[in-house]
Amino acid sequence: QVLLVESGGGSVQPGGSLRLSCRASGESANWYPYGWFRQAPGREREEVSCIAGNDGSTYYADSVKDRFTISRDNAKNTVYLQMNGLKPEDTGVYYCAAVLIVQGKCVPYDSNYWGQGTRVTVAS
């Protein structure tokens, strides 16, 4: 089992920055690739970014490329998402999850391996 807890969300003005954290616990927590997903009211949950568990390869949705950076610190069992140049359309609840990386896409591994989410609001 893997327990994931997100933090770092908040409210910022357009152009602002936030750094989200996802702390993972579990016997094999550091073996997994992890991804960030988000969901806004009235919208489908969407892939944001993910990071591999071995070579550290990273992947991003086109909508966040050049603005967001994913990283991980296995010693701290934590995955980060640095978000710069935030836009109103980035508003939503951000979740981390264990994923599979298939042909450069982030695919959720299991319905149980999700955090509770952290809210991000970008507005004037």
Side-chain angles (χ1 to χ4, degrees), residues 19-65:
R19 191 189 195 194
L20 307 184
S21 298
C22 174
R23 186 176 185 274
S25 61
E27 182 177 345
S28 302
N30 287 335
W31 292 13
Y32 293 96
Y34 290 101
W36 287 96
F37 300 79
R38 67 188 181 190
Q39 188 168 28
R43 296 184 179 181
E44 298 289 331
R45 181 174 292 174
E46 63 179 330
E47 168 193 330
V48 177
S49 181
C50 57
I51 185 167
N54 45 22
D55 64 1
S57 298
T58 58
Y59 306 89
Y60 298 92
D62 288 342
S63 61
V64 306
K65 286 181 178 178

Side-chain angles (χ1 to χ4, degrees), residues 85-99:
L86 285 163
K87 304 175 180 179
E89 53 263 42
D90 295 317
T91 293
V93 178
Y94 284 68
Y95 302 88
C96 62
V99 303

Side-chain angles (χ1 to χ4, degrees), residues 97-109:
V99 303
L100 298 174
I101 301 176
V102 182
Q103 296 182 315
K105 303 295 291 185
C106 314
V107 181
Y109 176 74

Side-chain angles (χ1 to χ4, degrees), residues 68-103:
F68 291 10
T69 303
I70 191 171
S71 61
R72 67 189 294 167
D73 185 339
N74 287 344
K76 298 180 179 179
N77 299 316
T78 302
V79 179
Y80 304 97
L81 185 68
Q82 178 67 46
M83 306 186 296
N84 298 325
L86 285 163
K87 304 175 180 179
E89 53 263 42
D90 295 317
T91 293
V93 178
Y94 284 68
Y95 302 88
C96 62
V99 303
L100 298 174
I101 301 176
V102 182
Q103 296 182 315

